[in-house]
């Protein structure tokens, strides 16, 4: 088989293998606590008293078209969950103290299950939960690592209101460095982390997991852990002055408390999560979009030393929003925020509703985990000329291939993360049980973006998709089904090669057979069918077969369920 050149394999563990751009777990599963831990200790006073949350007006945070799509999908689902959160955040010492009120369509469940990501043992955040009530009555709660179980009363209504106080403290961490980042723990990945000049709050509040979705106390798979229903969310954060808050929602208010602090209010309809980044003295640029994206505000936020990159980041994000909105239906929210944050050495970015975290070095034009190109090559014992010679020896075009690779890295990553706005944010999936839904589609639809916006974009596309499987096989990973749970893969290498590589190339195969136009129409139908709902791999298979023809069913079996990667790709 062809040998991939070392720059792809070593420096760009997520550059041309498309970066496991999400919450990558280590190859060795982490042990969960043996038994659930009763949770009775109070985290201290909440930031404010929470009243019963009122329904949100979707048009505040959504475009008119987005609100119409949301309303149509809502008629097909149970009532949407509704979260109201108030919290006091101390980014200098990592403390988060809050109170959650959640109105949940629990049906006949015996317990309400929540993910409190801060409970993962590696984070050492010492989470505390107290004051749990169901419809105003005290309720029992137990915690097993990151999972909370709230007991529900017998004969309860199908829709209940759950209240709880929660708190934790994040130790300061340094982003994991190194070429491939090593074995990445959640703290090192930086989704929920404190740094000297930044605090990232991803999966930061208790989120309800509906019955039947993944709820492992300590997930030991590879990739994301999202299994959350689309919900209406309002958040009020009490933060110290001097810190900029960027979040998933649309800002509805900022008010100084007069004591060196500010209360920031935001909300969002149709959100499966609600991420927040706090940055000390960053640079932000805004862009009001027009045409088909009229009413959408795009922002880019990074450290002051990355200000020269902000226009480029805005250009790349706008290109992705325009191409994908034209192809699959308009981006539904009124804001999209791109934020530079410290992430792990092998993580390029992380998608959220209405926002994305982009690894700070990559945002500034460098290489994730390695900084700028010069220092990266020093770490590898190479200079740019010798690296280009090595690329050429191994079958590439030397400087030309190296330049294409470096020039496309950030644009590809941003395209991939923006694409997740359609695949896993709008069209939801259980990321543990059905990673084959979102990651291959985010990979493939990024190809539409770079073909439209980059010179030699089709080469970038095919290199990004093809290198994943090729590298996996070269490094000893085995072929197998791509359509399986993330914890069924043998390693992160196999997960990346099959889900980001082979499964994504399935869509290039569909292009070859049916043409880009027909495939685009089929995927647009998938968005209309699955918007703000949760789909499985089988659901995707059914829609594609209905739209393109019965032979797609056999193709799905070959590419997603069987092991023909060497014959099809090498």
């Amino acid at each position: 088989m062809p040998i991939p050149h070392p720059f792809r394999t070593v420096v760009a563990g997520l550059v041309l293998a498309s970066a496991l751009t999400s919450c990558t777990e280590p190859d060795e599963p982490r042990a969960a606590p043996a038994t659930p831990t009763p949770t009775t200790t109070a985290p201290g006073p909440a930031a404010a008293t929470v009243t019963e949350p009122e329904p949100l007006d979707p048009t505040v945070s959504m475009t008119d078209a987005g609100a119409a799509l949301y309303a149509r999908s809502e008629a097909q689902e149970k009532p949407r969950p509704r979260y109201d959160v108030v919290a006091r955040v101390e980014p200098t010492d990592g403390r988060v103290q809050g109170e959650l009120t959640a109105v949940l369509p629990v049906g006949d469940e015996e317990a309400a299950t929540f993910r409190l990501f801060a409970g993962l043992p590696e984070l050492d955040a010492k989470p505390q939960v107290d004051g749990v009530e169901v419809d105003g009555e005290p309720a029992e709660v137990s915690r097993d690592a990151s999972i909370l179980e709230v007991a529900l009363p017998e004969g309860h209504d199908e829709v209940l209101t759950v209240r709880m106080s929660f708190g934790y403290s994040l130790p300061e961490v340094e982003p994991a460095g190194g070429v491939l980042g090593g074995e990445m723990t959640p703290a090192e990945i930086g989704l929920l982390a404190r740094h000297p000049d930044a605090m990232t709050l991803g999966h930061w509040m208790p989120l309800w997991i509906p019955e039947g979705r993944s709820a492992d106390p300590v997930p030991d798979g590879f990739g994301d852990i999202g299994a959350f229903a689309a919900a209406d969310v309002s958040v009020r954060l009490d933060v110290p002055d001097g810190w900029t808050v960027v979040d998933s929602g649309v800002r509805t208010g900022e008010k100084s408390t007069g004591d060196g602090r500010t209360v920031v209010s935001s909300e969002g309809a149709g959100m499966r999560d609600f991420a927040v980044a706090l940055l000390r003295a960053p640079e932000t640029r805004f862009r009001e979009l027009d045409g088909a994206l009229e009413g959408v505000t795009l922002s880019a936020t990074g450290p002051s030393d990355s200000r020269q990159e902000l226009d480029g980041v805005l250009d790349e994000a706008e290109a992705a929003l325009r191409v994908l909105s034209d192809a699959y239906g308009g981006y539904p929210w009124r804001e999209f925020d791109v934020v530079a944050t410290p992430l792990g050495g092998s993580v390029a970015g992380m998608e959220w509703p209405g926002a994305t975290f982009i690894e700070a070095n990559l945002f500034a034009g460098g290489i994730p985990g390695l900084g700028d190109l010069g220092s990266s090559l020093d770490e590898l014992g190479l200079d740019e000329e010798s690296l280009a010679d090595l690329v050429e020896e191994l079958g590439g075009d030397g400087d030309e291939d190296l330049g294409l690779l470096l020039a496309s890295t950030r644009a590809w990553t941003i395209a991939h993360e923006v694409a997740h706005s359609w695949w896993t944010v709008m069209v939801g999936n259980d990321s543990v049980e059905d990673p084959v839904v979102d990651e291959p589609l985010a990979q493939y639809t990024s190809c539409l973006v770079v073909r439209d916006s980059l010179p030699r974009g089709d080469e970038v596309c095919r290199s990004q998709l093809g290198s994943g499987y090729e590298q996996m096989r070269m490094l000893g990973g085995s072929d197998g089904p791509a359509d399986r749970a993330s914890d069924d893969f043998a390693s992160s290498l196999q997960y990346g090669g099959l889900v980001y590589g082979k499964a994504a190339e399935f869509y290039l195969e569909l292009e070859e057979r049916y043409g880009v136009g027909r495939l685009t129409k089929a995927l647009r139908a998938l968005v209309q069918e699955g918007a703000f709902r949760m789909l499985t791999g089988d659901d995707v298979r059914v829609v594609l077969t209905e739209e393109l023809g019965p032979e797609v069913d056999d193709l799905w079996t070959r590419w997603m369920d069987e092991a023909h990667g060497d014959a099809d790709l090498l």
Side-chain angles (χ1 to χ4, degrees):
M1 70 183 69
I3 300 175
H5 51 73
F7 189 80
R8 289 182 185 172
T9 302
V10 180
V11 178
L14 50 92
V15 171
L16 285 186
S18 100
L20 300 187
T21 51
S22 304
C23 179
T24 306
E25 303 287 351
D27 288 3
E28 294 297 325
R30 296 182 297 277
T35 58
T37 304
T39 304
T40 57
T41 308
T49 300
V50 180
T51 59
E52 192 75 20
E54 296 293 331
L56 293 186
D57 176 1
T59 62
V60 172
S61 58
M62 290 180 143
T63 64
D64 291 344
L69 184 61
Y70 188 49
R72 192 175 77 222
S73 70
E74 190 170 27
Q76 303 170 345
E77 296 282 289
K78 295 179 180 179
R80 300 292 185 193
R82 171 79 172 88
Y83 299 100
D84 188 276
V85 188
V86 294
R88 183 181 177 96
V89 181
E90 303 290 356
T92 54
D93 63 15
R95 284 184 293 131
V96 176
Q97 295 180 327
E99 188 167 324
L100 166 73
T101 300
V103 181
L104 305 175
V106 295
D108 59 0
E109 294 179 27
E110 295 181 358
T113 301
F114 291 82
R115 172 82 71 188
L116 181 60
F117 193 62
L120 286 176
E122 293 79 10
L123 286 171
D124 193 27
K126 300 177 175 61
Q128 300 169 336
V129 175
D130 197 20
V132 180
E133 295 180 351
V134 175
D135 281 351
E137 297 295 328
E140 293 183 1
V141 60
S142 63
R143 180 174 68 85
D144 187 357
S146 69
I147 292 296
L148 301 175
E149 293 282 353
V150 178
L152 303 179
E154 292 186 9
H156 61 74
D157 294 337
E158 290 191 356
V159 179
L160 295 177
T161 300
V162 178
R163 286 192 175 92
M164 68 179 74
S165 297
F166 66 95
Y168 50 86
S169 184
L170 298 172
E172 185 173 309
V173 296
E174 290 295 328
V179 176
L180 292 178
E183 289 193 349
M184 303 296 292
T185 70
E188 290 174 321
I189 289 172
L191 303 186
L192 184 62
R194 174 170 64 96
H195 306 282
D197 294 311
M199 189 173 184
T200 48
L201 299 178
H203 303 318
W204 66 280
M205 64 184 193
L207 288 166
W208 176 58
I209 301 177
E211 189 174 28
R213 298 185 190 161
S214 301
D216 291 337
V218 182
D220 57 8
F222 310 97
D224 294 329
I225 61 168
F228 310 120
D232 295 340
V233 186
S234 59
V235 172
R236 282 164 285 164
L237 296 178
D238 182 336
V239 301
D241 292 345
W243 289 81
T244 295
V245 177
V246 184
D247 59 56
S248 284
V250 168
R251 189 63 45 85
T252 56
E254 290 190 26
K255 183 178 180 180
S256 173
T257 63
D259 59 353
R261 301 187 68 84
T262 298
V263 174
V264 175
S265 301
S266 299
E267 66 180 56
M271 304 231 148
R272 301 183 189 276
D273 206 330
F274 197 96
V276 179
L278 291 89
L279 304 169
R280 197 198 303 267
E283 188 86 7
T284 300
R285 290 185 189 165
F286 298 92
R287 183 176 293 179
E288 300 297 330
L289 304 184
D290 55 14
L293 291 171
E294 186 171 0
V296 177
T297 300
L298 176 62
S299 75
T301 301
S304 58
D305 59 3
S306 67
R307 62 171 57 97
Q308 67 189 37
E309 304 294 338
L310 294 176
D311 286 338
V313 168
L314 288 172
D315 289 343
E316 290 157 3
E318 181 179 352
L321 287 168
R322 288 197 182 281
V323 170
L324 298 174
S325 290
D326 182 62
Y328 307 121
Y331 174 75
W333 290 284
R334 294 192 178 276
E335 291 185 8
F336 189 86
D337 304 308
V338 185
V339 190
T341 61
L343 297 176
S346 63
V347 180
M350 177 65 193
E351 73 278 359
W352 306 105
T356 183
F357 294 167
I358 298 296
E359 199 277 331
N361 286 320
L362 179 61
F363 188 100
I367 299 171
L370 292 173
D372 62 55
L373 177 61
S375 62
S376 303
L377 297 180
D378 287 343
E379 182 169 334
L380 294 171
L382 298 169
D383 57 29
E384 189 166 355
E385 183 177 354
S386 62
L387 181 59
D389 290 342
L390 183 58
V391 171
E392 189 170 12
E393 282 181 26
L394 293 169
D397 294 324
D399 289 326
E400 186 178 3
D401 272 11
L402 178 60
L404 177 66
L405 174 66
L406 294 174
S408 65
T409 301
R410 189 181 67 192
W412 176 267
T413 300
I414 289 175
H416 178 101
E417 302 304 342
V418 172
H420 273 301
S421 297
W422 282 261
W423 317 116
T424 210
V425 175
M426 264 199 288
V427 177
N429 63 297
D430 184 325
S431 296
V432 174
E433 291 298 319
D434 290 291
V436 77
V437 173
D438 66 307
E439 293 297 356
L441 279 167
Q443 283 285 85
Y444 164 68
T445 57
S446 298
C447 287
L448 273 65
V449 176
V450 298
R451 286 171 183 165
D452 184 78
S453 60
L454 295 182
R456 299 170 62 189
D458 191 60
E459 292 178 54
V460 172
C461 159
R462 293 181 183 277
S463 182
Q464 289 280 0
L465 271 55
S467 63
Y469 183 82
E470 181 180 290
Q471 289 178 24
M472 181 200 75
R473 295 294 287 129
M474 190 273 285
L475 294 174
S478 60
D479 191 8
D483 189 0
R484 52 176 148 162
S486 65
D487 53 7
D488 284 344
F489 291 90
S491 65
S492 57
L493 176 70
Q494 187 188 51
Y495 171 78
L498 298 182
V499 174
Y500 285 73
K502 186 176 78 167
E505 294 226 38
F506 164 73
Y507 292 98
L508 293 183
E509 176 72 11
L510 294 185
E511 270 194 358
E512 292 289 333
R513 290 173 179 261
Y514 302 103
V516 175
R518 286 191 65 190
L519 179 55
T520 297
K521 182 181 177 183
L523 293 178
R524 191 181 182 102
L526 182 63
V527 173
Q528 294 297 309
E529 170 71 19
F532 305 106
R533 300 173 60 200
M534 297 285 282
L535 300 187
T536 66
D538 284 343
D539 294 327
V540 176
R541 179 180 191 157
V542 166
V543 171
L544 291 175
T545 299
E546 289 175 347
E547 293 293 323
L548 296 174
E551 61 274 14
V552 172
D553 192 65
D554 291 335
L555 289 171
W556 182 280
T557 297
R558 179 179 181 88
W559 286 79
M560 301 298 192
D561 297 334
E562 298 176 348
H564 305 285
D566 289 3
D568 292 335
L569 299 175
L570 299 182

